């Protein structure tokens, strides 16, 4: 049979002589060990819950408080100011005073004192983490206040924190004053509007502030007092989960493998190490052993990284998360498999997972009718997928198989294609590699999963991530760890196979069964045609920029991100002969449950610099305008990170207006403005995992996303080491005036032109001319 039968713990038959009971001790042993692993995880979670519950104190500090209080009692120093005596003097149930009541009263008082100290320390830590002025200070000019703040944060965080230790101490995202938001908004659109248009928008903003704005602001402040974060739940629901169009390309994004190196050409081996590394990361997340960064950031997004699926709904999708999963779902040549990654409570070795993956690759069975392109349902429109799921996948064999995919730790695609940079056309290969990870064949990825790993026939790998549960930095952190662990920790044998031994008695991967009626097959075809049209329309261009990197930019005392953003402004102006509303994503994870905020990179200062460059102004004038533009950009970025951004505030005001059933012409116009240039930096967060000195070829390509506007560009960039910047550019082919390759050329030239302008030597004035000027 195509589907393997699983062993049962016992079997019995009823005979004339009685019941014949046959136990399978091997199966019972497996059940016992698997249950033991589950209980160990529960105990570990309980232990971590206690540790982070008392942070920044420690559980052992209770004993210190108890002993100190008891010692003070025996030295006749009453720390409780009579409270212990009051507790002790209360008679017991029989009206007598027990001899142990003094100890009990000290125990009660010391526990209350300890809890009070914890709340005080947590409140103090929250106040410290609410200080953000350090972000606005110039590099090398740190104020005494910030130095004191750093010292106090280190003292308060002296004990080794767990991943979620800071969660309850992080401040809530503040609601900016509506006047400040409107002023910053008008300033951001000034270079994009003519004088009459700007006057009209100014009048709309003033009218909004005087009438509806303050009313909406009051409701928003009320929500901020009640909710942990006044933005994140609405952002997740209305920006992501309520979208009824395809999430493929429009929402999901991708991450790439190493640029120059493929650790092994053996597909099963690469899958074995990659799956192992991902599960080791999950173990770190579950045990909360991931190290928080120096400045505490919200780690809430890590909670739904694994065992999570976005399920379709009629009006809104739902994120479903399961506590644990002992298997992954695998797709190969139109067939779905469930691969158990634990055996008797033990994580399989990389070599054993490779062995199981090879079994899938060698399986000669053919897809059942309608099975091969079933994944297209997750790539098309959401409502048809919801209707089909509700009618045909809510019971029976289809539900059991769908549950295996949705409850899996993550999804794995074993792709028959070969991808990567090598070949006669390395530039074109990179572009095809990006498109493959972004959408594949539109049916060989399960786009609803939190992330899907893709392993190609030649050993190259990558991943596709669903966006609603987390933002790119969280997935980038996971993928950095996976690549580094795969290449440098787990490694491969000389013939390219995973290390370790294989237990040959492992049950084979379980082939999932489906019953796909004609109506479902017809909907699969419709969803596939929608997804295919979208995929064919996307134009991707990936290129590494090696002329210089952040090392030489920093020597000029300039922020690398500000430098790149101004180069993008110059490139866009050269490409389209105009300026546009520009989106740069910044994080708000300095606040609890923070996600992102928009940095409006197109400013009055950046436009003045670009015009000066294009009009051939003098070098000194261009440098002066460039300096002003970079300072402005850095200030905008800092405001966004510290809760004073524009767009999330206006978005939430708009949501409140919809709940109240009132219309605002100002908010409607603001929320309908297209982001024709959408940009994002993929940060390298764990450079210590990569040995750039001894292994310089192990450079990550980063990742990218599709264009936000039909007539715009999507640009992702990753600053790698000191000497390299990787770019991912996307646009729609259906709009004739955009071209990702042409825009890539403009980006490269803009970077070189700005760098040449900044490093140009000032021409010397001849002595005779200098005397005349004097």
């Amino acid at each position: 049979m195509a589907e393997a039968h699983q062993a049962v713990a016992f079997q019995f038959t009823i005979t004339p002589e009685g019941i014949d009971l046959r136990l399978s001790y091997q199966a019972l042993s497996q059940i016992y060990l698997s249950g033991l692993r589950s209980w160990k995880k529960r105990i570990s979670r309980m232990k971590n819950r206690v540790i982070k519950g008392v942070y920044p104190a420690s559980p052992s500090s209770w004993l210190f408080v108890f002993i100190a209080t008891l010692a003070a009692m025996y030295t006749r120093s009453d720390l409780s100011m009579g409270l212990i005596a009051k507790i002790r003097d209360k008679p017991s149930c029989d009206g007598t005073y027990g001899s142990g009541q003094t100890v009990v009263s000290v125990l009660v008082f010391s526990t209350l004192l300890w809890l009070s100290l914890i709340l005080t320390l947590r409140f103090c830590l929250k106040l410290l983490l609410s200080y953000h002025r350090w972000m606005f200070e110039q590099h090398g000019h740190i104020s005494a206040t910030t130095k004191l703040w750093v010292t106090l944060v280190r003292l308060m965080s002296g004990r080794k924190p767990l991943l979620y230790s800071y969660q309850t101490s992080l401040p809530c995202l503040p609601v900016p004053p509506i006047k400040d938001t409107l002023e910053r908004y008008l300033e951001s659109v000034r270079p994009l509007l003519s004088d009459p248009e700007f006057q009209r928008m100014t009048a709309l903003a003033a009218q909004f502030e005087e009438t509806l704005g303050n009313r909406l602001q009051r409701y928003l402040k009320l929500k901020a007092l009640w909710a942990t974060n006044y933005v994140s739940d609405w952002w997740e629901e209305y920006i992501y989960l309520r979208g009824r169009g395809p999430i493929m390309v429009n929402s999901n994004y991708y991450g790439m493998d190493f640029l120059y190196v493929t650790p092994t050409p053996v597909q099963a081996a690469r899958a074995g190490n990659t799956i192992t590394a991902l599960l080791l990361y999950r173990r770190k997340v579950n045990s909360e052993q991931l190290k928080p960064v120096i400045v505490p950031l919200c780690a809430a997004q890590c909670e739904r990284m694994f065992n999570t699926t976005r399920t379709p709904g009629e009006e809104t999708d739902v994120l479903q998360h399961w506590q644990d999963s002992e298997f992954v779902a695998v797709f190969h040549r139109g067939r779905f498999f469930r691969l158990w990654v634990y055996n008797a409570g033990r994580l399989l070795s990389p070599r054993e997972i490779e062995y199981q993956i090879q079994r899938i690759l060698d399986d000669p069975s053919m897809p059942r009718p309608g099975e091969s392109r079933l994944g297209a349902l997750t790539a098309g429109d959401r409502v048809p997928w919801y209707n089909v799921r509700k009618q045909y996948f809510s019971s029976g064999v289809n539900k059991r198989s769908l549950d295996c995919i949705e409850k899996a730790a993550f999804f794995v695609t074993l792709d028959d294609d070969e991808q990567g940079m090598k070949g006669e056309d390395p530039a074109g290969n990179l572009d095809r590699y990006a498109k493959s990870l972004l959408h594949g064949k539109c049916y060989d990825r399960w786009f609803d999963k939190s992330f899907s790993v893709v392993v190609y026939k030649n050993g190259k790998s990558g991943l596709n991530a669903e966006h609603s549960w987390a933002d790119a930095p969280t997935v980038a952190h996971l993928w950095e760890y996976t690549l580094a662990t795969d290449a440098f920790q787990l490694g491969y044998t000389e013939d390219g196979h995973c290390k370790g031994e294989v237990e040959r008695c492992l049950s084979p991967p379980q082939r999932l069964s489906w019953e796909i009626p004609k109506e479902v097959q017809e909907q699969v075809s419709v969803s596939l045609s929608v997804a295919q049209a979208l995929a064919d329309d996307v134009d991707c261009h990936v290129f590494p920029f090696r002329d210089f990197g952040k090392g030489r930019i920093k020597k000029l005392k300039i922020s690398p991100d500000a430098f790149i953003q101004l180069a993008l402004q110059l490139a866009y102006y050269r490409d389209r002969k105009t300026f546009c509303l520009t989106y740069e994503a910044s994080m708000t994870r300095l606040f609890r449950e923070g996600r992102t905020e928009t940095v409006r990179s197109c400013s009055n200062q950046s436009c003045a610099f670009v015009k000066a460059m294009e009009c051939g102004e003098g070098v000194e004038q261009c440098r002066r305008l460039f300096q002003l533009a970079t300072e402005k950009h850095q200030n905008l970025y800092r405001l966004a990170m510290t809760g004073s951004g524009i767009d999330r505030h206006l978005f939430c005001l708009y949501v409140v207006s919809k709940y109240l059933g009132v219309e605002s012409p100002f908010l409607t116009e603001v929320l309908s403005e297209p982001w024709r240039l959408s940009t994002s930096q993929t940060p390298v967060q764990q450079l210590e995992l990569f040995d750039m000195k001894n292994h310089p070829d192990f450079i990550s390509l980063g990742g990218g996303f599709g264009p936000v506007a039909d007539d715009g560009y999507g640009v992702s960039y990753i600053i790698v080491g000191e000497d390299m910047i990787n770019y991912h550019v996307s646009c729609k082919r259906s709009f004739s005036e955009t071209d990702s390759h042409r825009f890539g050329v403009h980006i490269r030239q803009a970077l070189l032109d700005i760098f040449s302008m900044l490093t140009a030597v000032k021409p010397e004035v001849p002595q005779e001319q200098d005397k005349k000027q004097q």
Side-chain angles (χ1 to χ4, degrees):
M1 293 179 66
E3 180 176 335
H5 291 285
Q6 302 299 310
V8 293
F10 64 90
Q11 296 177 343
F12 69 92
T13 55
I14 299 176
T15 64
E17 289 77 17
I19 298 176
D20 180 18
L21 181 66
R22 295 190 298 273
L23 294 175
S24 171
Y25 292 102
Q26 182 182 4
L28 287 174
S29 174
Q30 298 281 333
I31 292 172
Y32 167 75
L33 292 172
S34 181
L36 188 64
R37 170 183 174 268
S38 178
W39 275 104
K40 283 181 178 179
K41 290 187 68 175
R42 290 181 187 179
I43 294 171
S44 176
R45 287 195 193 103
M46 291 175 62
K47 176 186 172 184
N48 289 339
R49 203 170 287 133
V50 171
I51 292 173
K52 69 188 179 187
V54 301
Y55 193 85
S58 65
S60 59
S61 63
W62 172 86
L63 185 61
F64 173 80
V65 174
F66 174 70
I67 293 173
T69 307
L70 195 62
M73 284 292 295
Y74 282 103
T75 59
R76 298 188 179 182
S77 300
D78 190 3
L79 298 177
S80 68
M81 294 181 291
L83 186 59
I84 291 178
K86 288 183 178 180
I87 299 173
R88 181 188 58 201
D89 292 342
K90 286 188 176 182
S92 58
C93 295
D94 58 359
T96 63
Y97 296 90
S99 59
Q101 271 192 280
T102 300
V103 176
V104 172
S105 61
V106 171
L107 183 70
V108 172
F109 172 77
S110 57
T111 301
L112 292 173
L113 177 61
W114 180 64
L115 292 174
S116 300
L117 289 172
I118 288 173
L119 292 175
T120 303
L121 287 172
R122 188 175 293 172
F123 178 74
C124 292
L125 183 58
K126 192 168 189 174
L127 287 178
L128 286 172
L129 297 181
S130 299
Y131 173 77
H132 298 132
R133 294 305 305 171
W134 58 271
M135 291 193 65
F136 295 86
E137 296 179 355
Q138 292 183 357
H139 184 70
H141 298 82
I142 302 175
S143 66
T145 305
T146 297
K147 289 179 181 178
L148 177 62
W149 172 78
V150 171
T151 304
L152 291 174
V153 169
R154 286 178 178 174
L155 286 174
M156 295 287 287
S157 308
R159 195 172 61 83
K160 184 180 178 182
L162 297 175
L163 177 61
Y164 303 118
S165 290
Y166 289 108
Q167 289 301 100
T168 54
S169 299
L170 289 171
C172 295
L173 185 69
V175 181
I178 193 166
K179 184 175 183 179
D180 293 350
T181 297
L182 294 177
E183 287 178 356
R184 283 195 284 265
Y185 168 76
L186 291 173
E187 183 185 3
S188 71
V189 297
R190 182 64 189 94
L192 307 175
L193 302 176
S194 64
D195 290 343
E197 289 173 336
F198 182 71
Q199 289 174 4
R200 185 183 67 85
M201 185 56 73
T202 303
L204 279 176
Q207 182 187 22
F208 170 73
E209 183 182 2
E210 292 170 1
T211 55
L212 186 60
N214 289 321
R215 180 187 171 195
L216 300 180
Q217 181 81 343
R218 286 194 294 270
Y219 280 100
L220 207 54
K221 286 184 176 180
L222 184 63
K223 186 194 176 187
L225 288 173
W226 177 256
T228 308
N229 188 298
Y230 81 92
V231 175
S232 294
D233 57 340
W234 285 349
W235 185 255
E236 181 178 294
E237 180 179 357
Y238 293 107
I239 298 301
Y240 295 118
L241 297 179
R242 284 206 175 224
R244 301 294 79 198
I247 60 175
M248 182 198 79
V249 175
N250 292 328
S251 179
N252 287 27
Y253 53 95
Y254 65 88
M256 282 183 159
D257 198 358
F258 296 116
L259 176 59
Y260 301 113
V261 174
T262 304
T264 177
V266 182
Q267 185 178 20
R270 190 72 196 280
N273 266 9
T274 300
I275 292 171
T276 302
L278 288 166
L279 293 171
L280 291 176
Y281 189 89
R282 184 177 71 165
R283 181 183 291 174
K284 282 181 172 288
V285 171
N286 290 341
S287 61
E288 302 187 32
Q289 295 304 308
L290 285 181
K291 295 179 181 179
V293 294
I294 298 173
V295 179
L297 300 177
C298 180
Q301 295 181 29
C302 296
E303 296 173 354
R304 299 181 295 186
M305 187 176 294
F306 296 92
N307 331 318
T308 299
T309 290
R310 173 175 175 166
T311 58
E314 189 171 11
E315 294 183 355
T316 181
D317 292 354
V318 177
L319 279 172
Q320 288 189 291
H321 172 73
W322 290 268
Q323 196 68 43
D324 194 18
S325 178
E326 296 191 347
F327 56 88
V328 297
V330 182
F331 178 87
H332 177 244
R333 290 184 181 174
R335 304 157 305 164
F336 295 86
F337 296 83
R338 173 162 60 179
L339 170 60
W340 294 95
V341 291
Y342 284 87
N343 182 41
R346 171 186 65 85
L347 177 63
L348 299 184
S349 70
R351 185 70 183 87
E352 287 173 326
I353 296 178
E354 177 191 351
Y355 174 71
Q356 296 289 71
I357 291 291
Q358 193 61 53
R359 280 177 154 183
I360 294 175
L361 294 173
D362 295 338
D363 189 329
S365 61
M366 299 298 292
R368 293 183 178 85
E371 179 184 12
S372 61
R373 299 185 176 185
L374 192 63
L377 291 170
T378 68
D381 293 323
R382 305 303 291 174
V383 174
W385 172 210
Y386 160 76
N387 292 330
V388 167
R389 188 178 188 275
K390 180 181 178 181
Q391 185 173 356
Y392 298 100
F393 293 86
S394 57
S395 62
V397 65
N398 286 348
K399 184 181 188 306
R400 291 194 294 272
S401 295
L402 183 61
D403 282 347
C404 288
I405 295 175
E406 294 186 337
K407 294 181 180 180
F410 49 88
F411 193 80
V412 180
T413 295
L414 302 175
D415 203 309
D416 275 344
D417 294 338
E418 295 187 0
Q419 298 292 348
M421 188 178 181
K422 293 182 179 180
E424 297 179 357
D425 181 20
N429 288 341
L430 280 182
D431 298 344
R432 286 184 283 273
Y433 181 21
K435 275 184 66 67
S436 176
L437 288 174
L438 184 60
H439 54 69
K441 299 180 180 69
C442 302
Y443 58 80
D444 54 351
R445 319 276 188 261
W446 200 265
F447 294 100
D448 286 355
K449 286 298 291 180
S450 55
F451 65 91
S452 299
V453 178
V454 184
V455 183
Y456 294 97
K457 190 175 182 180
N458 60 341
K460 213 67 182 171
S461 69
L463 89 165
N464 181 287
E466 201 276 317
H467 209 326
S468 63
W469 65 273
D471 302 307
T474 302
V475 177
H477 195 280
L478 162 74
W479 193 236
E480 285 174 11
Y481 177 89
T482 302
L483 291 177
T485 303
D486 169 24
F488 303 125
Q489 302 298 323
L490 300 176
Y492 298 90
T493 61
E494 292 184 359
D495 56 354
H497 292 281
C498 296
K499 297 177 181 179
E501 301 297 326
V502 179
E503 188 177 310
R504 300 287 176 177
C505 63
L506 292 172
S507 299
Q510 178 186 358
R511 173 80 184 276
L512 302 185
S513 297
W514 306 92
E515 293 177 358
I516 312 297
K518 184 179 179 181
E519 294 81 3
V520 175
Q521 295 183 36
E522 290 175 353
Q523 182 55 56
V524 167
S525 298
V526 173
S527 295
L528 181 59
S529 63
V530 170
Q532 195 65 59
L534 179 59
D536 292 342
D537 196 23
V538 176
D539 183 28
C540 294
H541 180 43
V542 180
F543 66 95
F545 181 81
R546 304 184 187 89
D547 294 78
F548 58 85
K550 72 174 182 180
R552 295 178 70 182
I553 296 174
K554 282 187 173 181
K555 286 180 180 179
L556 299 173
K557 297 182 179 180
I558 298 169
S559 160
D561 185 70
F563 184 100
I564 292 171
Q565 284 293 326
L566 284 172
L568 290 174
Q569 290 297 311
L570 179 58
Y572 187 87
Y573 188 81
R574 289 173 173 176
D575 187 81
R576 300 293 306 280
K577 308 306 179 187
T578 186
F579 297 106
C580 73
L581 199 61
T582 304
Y583 183 112
E584 181 188 5
S586 81
M587 68 171 185
T588 55
R589 289 171 62 200
L590 291 170
F591 304 95
R592 193 171 179 184
E593 294 184 12
R595 293 206 54 164
T596 61
E597 178 57 275
T598 305
V599 180
R600 293 181 167 230
S601 301
C602 182
S603 63
N604 290 314
Q605 291 80 357
S606 68
C607 292
F609 163 71
V610 169
K611 288 177 180 177
M613 285 285 288
E614 290 302 278
C615 293
E617 295 278 354
V619 171
E620 288 304 315
Q621 174 70 354
C622 289
R623 286 177 180 171
R624 186 183 67 82
L625 293 173
F626 181 82
Q627 184 67 30
L628 292 174
T630 55
E631 290 174 358
K632 179 65 176 179
H633 181 269
Q634 285 181 276
N635 188 57
L636 290 173
Y637 204 100
R638 291 162 180 160
L639 287 171
M641 287 188 66
T642 54
S644 297
I646 301 169
D647 290 279
R648 299 303 176 268
H649 186 199
L650 293 176
F651 162 75
C652 287
L653 290 172
Y654 179 76
V655 174
V656 173
S657 72
K658 289 299 179 183
Y659 276 123
L660 295 178
V662 293
E663 290 294 329
S664 167
F666 171 74
L667 290 177
T668 301
E669 189 161 339
V670 169
L671 271 294
S672 63
E673 292 171 341
W675 300 97
R676 292 192 173 90
L677 182 55
S678 180
T679 71
S680 177
Q681 179 186 170
T682 305
V684 179
Q685 304 162 76
Q686 306 165 93
L687 197 58
E688 72 278 1
L689 296 178
F690 300 90
D691 188 354
M692 303 295 289
K693 183 177 181 181
N694 297 319
H695 302 282
D697 290 341
F698 285 82
I699 294 173
S700 172
L701 261 171
F705 53 88
V708 173
D710 291 339
D711 57 347
Y713 291 106
V715 181
S716 175
Y717 53 94
I718 176 171
I719 302 173
V720 184
E722 298 293 314
D723 305 308
M724 189 175 185
I725 307 171
N726 290 328
Y727 283 90
H728 300 251
V729 184
S730 64
C731 67
K732 295 285 185 71
R733 290 192 175 103
S734 55
F735 188 71
S736 60
E737 296 183 29
T738 55
D739 185 305
S740 63
H741 292 75
R742 185 185 71 215
F743 193 50
V745 172
H746 286 311
I747 292 173
R748 185 186 300 275
Q749 192 59 50
L751 291 166
L752 294 172
D753 289 347
I754 293 176
F755 190 80
S756 298
M757 178 269 296
L758 293 173
T759 56
V761 179
K762 185 177 180 180
E764 295 183 3
V765 181
Q767 288 184 348
E768 293 181 2
Q769 185 178 350
D770 188 39
K771 288 178 181 179
K772 290 180 181 179
Q773 289 178 352
Q774 291 177 355

